[in-house]
């Protein structure tokens, strides 16, 4: 499953905020959203895990505060990264406040290469050096996901726009996942004090 490290971590963020799972199916990106799950991950945890959860919650709140203060949106960061290489499309993006300056970590795919970029969340400047790896260096599942992604009419940016509109929030991360043989977009949105995970199934996402 090609999703950002931040996106994988968000499964634990329900400890301090409510995490909703929202399904938006039967695209092209016009279906109404409906909540299919709400979790309270802190319920019934042993004391040691509750203490660790409290620390994680503090870090999450700090990161969310940093995200809310960012001048560059996730969609803008995607556009900046995609302009660096003609014909590239975003496969994975996440907000990262752990560095000295908050940034977006972006992975784009162009032909047979995967590019990794760091975009300053305040200025939109590309920081650090670019890193590229051949598509063949990925495992078969990630490689298959990217092959399908390149063939789709919809892009991750389209999914982010739909997710933000459906939740009245701001996307903090997005990536790809495979579900029952189909490629899905997975977007995590900050809406008020809640985190909402939106799964979108694009037409033509069936794995070959």
């Amino acid at each position: 499953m090609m999703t950002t490290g931040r996106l994988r971590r968000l499964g634990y963020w329900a400890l301090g905020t409510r995490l909703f799972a929202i399904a938006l199916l039967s695209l092209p990106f016009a279906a109404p959203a409906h909540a299919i799950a709400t979790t309270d991950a802190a319920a019934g945890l042993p004391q040691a895990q509750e203490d660790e959860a409290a620390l994680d919650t503090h870090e999450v709140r700090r990161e969310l505060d940093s995200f809310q203060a960012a001048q560059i949106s996730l969609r803008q960061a995607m556009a900046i990264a995609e302009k660096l290489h003609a014909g590239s499309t975003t496969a994975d993006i996440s907000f990262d406040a752990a560095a000295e300056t908050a940034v977006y970590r972006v992975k784009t795919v162009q032909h047979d290469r995967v590019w990794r970029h760091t975009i300053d969340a305040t200025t939109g400047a590309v920081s650090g050096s670019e890193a590229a790896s051949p598509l063949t260096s990925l495992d078969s599942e990630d490689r298959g996901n990217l092959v399908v992604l390149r063939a789709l009419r919809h892009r991750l940016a389209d999914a982010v726009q739909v997710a933000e509109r459906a939740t009245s929030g701001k996307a903090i991360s997005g990536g790809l996942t495979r579900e029952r043989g189909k490629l899905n977009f997975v977007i995590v949105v900050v809406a008020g004090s809640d985190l909402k995970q939106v799964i979108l199934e694009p037409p033509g996402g069936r794995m070959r």
Side-chain angles (χ1 to χ4, degrees):
M1 177 172 61
M2 176 169 282
T3 53
T4 63
R6 294 287 172 189
L7 187 56
R8 285 191 290 269
R9 282 182 54 200
L10 284 172
Y12 301 98
W13 283 19
L15 294 169
T17 58
R18 298 165 68 197
L19 177 64
F20 290 86
I22 293 179
L24 295 179
L25 305 176
S26 303
L27 301 184
F29 299 153
H34 59 281
I36 58 174
T38 305
T39 62
D40 182 2
L45 288 178
Q47 184 61 48
Q49 292 185 30
E50 286 185 5
D51 292 342
E52 184 177 352
L55 292 174
D56 288 344
T57 298
H58 177 73
E59 292 180 5
V60 167
R61 178 47 54 194
R62 183 181 62 82
E63 182 140 349
L64 292 181
D65 288 345
S66 179
F67 173 70
Q68 296 288 16
Q71 299 299 305
I72 302 297
S73 70
L74 182 133
R75 273 197 280 168
Q76 288 174 315
M78 292 172 66
I80 292 168
E82 289 174 355
K83 285 181 180 178
L84 296 174
H85 303 282
S88 66
T89 186
T90 302
D92 198 271
I93 183 169
S94 64
F95 180 80
D96 185 359
E100 183 176 343
T101 300
V103 297
Y104 290 96
R105 309 286 183 188
V106 191
K107 293 180 185 177
T108 62
V109 58
Q110 178 211 38
H111 304 308
D112 60 350
R113 285 193 171 188
V114 178
W115 295 89
R116 292 169 175 80
H117 306 288
T118 303
I119 310 296
D120 190 296
T122 300
T123 66
V126 180
S127 59
S129 57
E130 292 183 328
S133 57
L135 201 61
T136 54
S137 68
L138 303 177
D139 63 36
S140 59
E141 181 173 334
D142 283 350
R143 190 165 59 249
N145 288 348
L146 294 183
V147 169
V148 173
L149 174 67
R150 289 185 302 178
L152 292 177
R153 179 168 63 88
H154 293 99
R155 294 291 181 255
L156 187 61
D158 300 317
V160 168
Q161 183 175 8
V162 172
E164 290 182 333
R165 185 170 63 242
T167 60
S168 300
K170 294 170 57 180
I172 191 171
S173 66
L176 310 174
T177 187
R178 188 184 299 190
E179 182 70 25
R180 292 190 294 275
K182 292 205 72 174
L183 181 71
N184 292 333
F185 295 121
V186 183
I187 315 298
V188 175
V189 178
V190 180
S193 61
D194 297 333
L195 287 166
K196 299 183 179 181
Q197 179 174 285
V198 182
I199 302 173
L200 299 120
E201 182 181 298
R206 177 69 61 180
M207 309 300 294
R208 297 173 177 82

